[in-house]
Amino acid sequence: MITTAFPYLTLLLFIASMLVYIETQTKAKLFEYLPAIVLLYFTVMTLSTLELWTKTDEINSSYKAFKSNLLPAMIFLMLLQSDIRKILKLGKKILLTFFLASLSIALGFIVMFVLLHVFFEEEAWRAFGALSGSWMGGTGNMVAIQSALELPDSKMGYVLLIDSIDYAIWVMILLALVPFAKRFNQWTNADGELLEKLGSTLDTTKESKQIEFSSLFMMLGLALMVSVLSQELAPLFPTTSFLTNTTWIVIFATLAGILAGVTPLNKETSAEPLGNIMLYFIVALIASRANFTELSQAPLYIFAGFVIILIHATIMIAFAKLFKLDLFSLGVASLANIGGVASAPILAGAYHKALIPIGVLMAMMGYIIGTFMGLGVAQVLKIITL
């Protein structure tokens, strides 16, 4: 049994690194349905349930220190990769589709919670608030909102269950619909040629540049400094029961990442791997406080996730007919929110390789607005419970 900080932290890093390495090197089919980050959560959660480590004062203090200090740095690095100027090149119609997807997902959370909140525990709004962050940008936003809402790590199991099971089925449905795109577009009277022209003119790839030690070291120092400054600024601003000190920290780190994303720092290739390392480590830390015995309402949460997707899909189809939107735009906009950069480009590529940049840019937009949208949804869910 582990009772000290160093073996505890080392084991979490070891498990995370091995899963990522296996996913990258083997290309196993398992990872198409259960990404490494989901397997990481449930692997560490299993070890926590088996009580491989105990919550000693040393382990508790190291957990708090690493999680609270790395979170703002991770947010900054993840958002640094998003250049808002490139996103604006997408054009009005595609931007409209993306925001329609975001708003319909937000509405899906609200309507679902109005209908089902009496069946959930009192603080369930926090879990769905964190999930809304993931479904409007990706795992990085989910972790940020989880911290901002002070959602107990033990409740994150529900969020990851919905995020893996419901999301995986939704991805399969959207991929299965690709052959029916022409028929759908005829029904909505959509113009598909515009997308191909746009996809061929967009370029989201950074220059193939080797990651250098100096760049990696600089990025690490810069990200940690953003974390320090965000934590120093946060106490200077007023707080409420919802807008806590941690929420301000998340907001400042988010704004720093967005602003830095339009500078030459956006071209630093070391930001992505460094940000991902922090993300995986934070997810492992969260999972280390969770326990399978606490997931007594898992089927209800999974059902709630499908209700959200059903509402989202219904709204998207209705507006597709109204605004003459094509199936490609609807699907990629949906996955840019719900799946982020891990799945939106894959669906885009299933239509045409030239359209992959649109999937990447939409996912970038999700990173930018996801935290703010998720916090807004959480506030509404909290009001519903009152």
Side-chain angles (χ1 to χ4, degrees):
M1 185 178 292
I2 298 171
T3 58
T4 55
F6 185 69
Y8 162 72
L9 296 172
T10 301
L11 180 61
L12 297 183
L13 274 173
F14 174 77
I15 295 171
S17 62
M18 287 298 103
L19 284 171
V20 171
Y21 183 80
I22 293 169
E23 179 183 35
T24 306
Q25 297 299 316
T26 64
K27 308 290 185 184
K29 281 281 184 184
L30 170 66
F31 293 106
E32 292 182 14
Y33 306 101
L34 290 172
I37 200 160
V38 174
L39 288 175
L40 169 64
Y41 187 91
F42 288 108
T43 299
V44 175
M45 188 178 178
T46 301
L47 297 179
S48 175
T49 305
L50 296 173
E51 298 182 348
L52 187 59
W53 48 79
T54 56
K55 296 177 182 178
T56 61
D57 290 341
E58 184 179 343
I59 285 180
N60 285 339
S61 60
S62 64
Y63 161 83
K64 290 176 184 176
F66 275 91
K67 186 187 172 189
S68 61
N69 291 313
L70 286 182
L71 179 67
M74 179 215 74
I75 294 170
F76 172 76
L77 289 169
M78 300 286 277
L79 286 169
L80 189 61
Q81 304 160 51
S82 304
D83 187 339
I84 200 167
R85 293 171 299 184
K86 289 183 179 179
I87 292 170
L88 296 176
K89 293 180 181 178
L90 285 172
K92 293 178 182 178
K93 201 162 189 176
I94 297 180
L95 291 174
L96 168 68
T97 309
F98 175 84
F99 284 111
L100 172 63
S102 299
L103 292 172
S104 61
I105 291 169
L107 190 60
F109 274 92
I110 294 167
V111 173
M112 176 282 300
F113 207 65
V114 167
L115 296 173
L116 302 177
H117 75 276
V118 293
F119 299 105
F120 294 108
E121 55 203 5
E122 188 177 344
E123 296 294 302
W125 66 271
R126 298 180 191 271
F128 284 108
L131 178 65
S132 70
S134 177
W135 280 13
M136 285 185 278
T139 308
N141 289 331
M142 175 189 72
V143 172
I145 293 177
Q146 184 250 346
S147 183
L149 297 180
E150 298 178 352
L151 170 68
D153 293 339
S154 59
K155 303 303 179 186
M156 284 297 286
Y158 289 127
V159 180
L160 265 294
L161 272 174
I162 302 173
D163 200 29
S164 57
I165 296 173
D166 297 43
Y167 155 73
I169 293 174
W170 184 232
V171 171
M172 286 189 284
I173 290 172
L174 290 176
L175 286 171
L177 289 174
V178 172
F180 301 97
K182 188 174 181 180
R183 194 177 303 173
F184 182 89
N185 295 345
Q186 288 173 346
W187 176 67
T188 61
N189 295 317
D191 177 17
E193 292 183 6
L194 174 65
L195 290 170
E196 295 194 19
K197 291 176 183 176
L198 186 57
S200 64
T201 60
L202 288 170
D203 179 20
T204 62
T205 57
K206 293 183 175 71
E207 295 178 13
S208 72
K209 184 178 165 185
Q210 208 171 19
I211 297 175
E212 297 176 352
F213 167 71
S214 58
S215 171
L216 190 65
F217 206 2
M218 181 273 292
M219 272 297 161
L220 177 61
L222 178 61
L224 293 178
M225 184 54 69
V226 167
S227 176
V228 169
L229 293 175
S230 297
Q231 293 180 69
E232 290 294 322
L233 283 171
L236 303 177
F237 288 77
T239 59
T240 65
S241 60
F242 180 79
L243 201 59
T244 64
N245 184 70
T246 308
T247 307
W248 279 116
I249 293 171
V250 169
I251 290 172
F252 290 136
T254 300
L255 291 174
I258 293 171
L259 293 174
V262 299
T263 71
L265 287 172
N266 174 264
K267 297 179 181 178
E268 294 292 337
T269 53
S270 57
E272 183 176 359
L274 192 57
N276 285 335
I277 289 171
M278 292 182 183
L279 173 62
Y280 275 80
F281 187 41
I282 292 170
V283 168
L285 284 168
I286 292 169
S288 72
R289 319 290 284 191
N291 193 306
F292 275 112
T293 60
E294 297 167 328
L295 298 182
S296 57
Q297 288 188 304
L300 182 57
Y301 275 84
I302 293 170
F303 172 73
F306 284 122
V307 172
I308 295 167
I309 290 176
L310 178 62
I311 295 168
H312 158 62
T314 303
I315 294 172
M316 292 290 280
I317 292 171
F319 274 85
K321 182 65 174 175
L322 183 63
F323 291 108
K324 300 180 180 180
L325 303 176
D326 61 282
L327 187 60
F328 165 82
S329 298
L330 296 183
V332 174
S334 178
L335 281 193
N337 281 278
I338 295 177
V341 77
S343 54
I346 294 173
L347 181 62
Y351 283 90
H352 197 288
K353 286 185 179 180
L355 299 174
I356 290 175
I358 296 178
V360 175
L361 288 172
M362 280 194 179
M364 286 181 179
M365 195 186 309
Y367 273 129
I368 291 173
I369 71 166
T371 300
F372 298 112
M373 289 282 290
L375 288 172
V377 168
Q379 178 65 24
V380 176
L381 299 186
K382 181 182 179 183
I383 293 170
I384 292 170
T385 61
L386 298 178

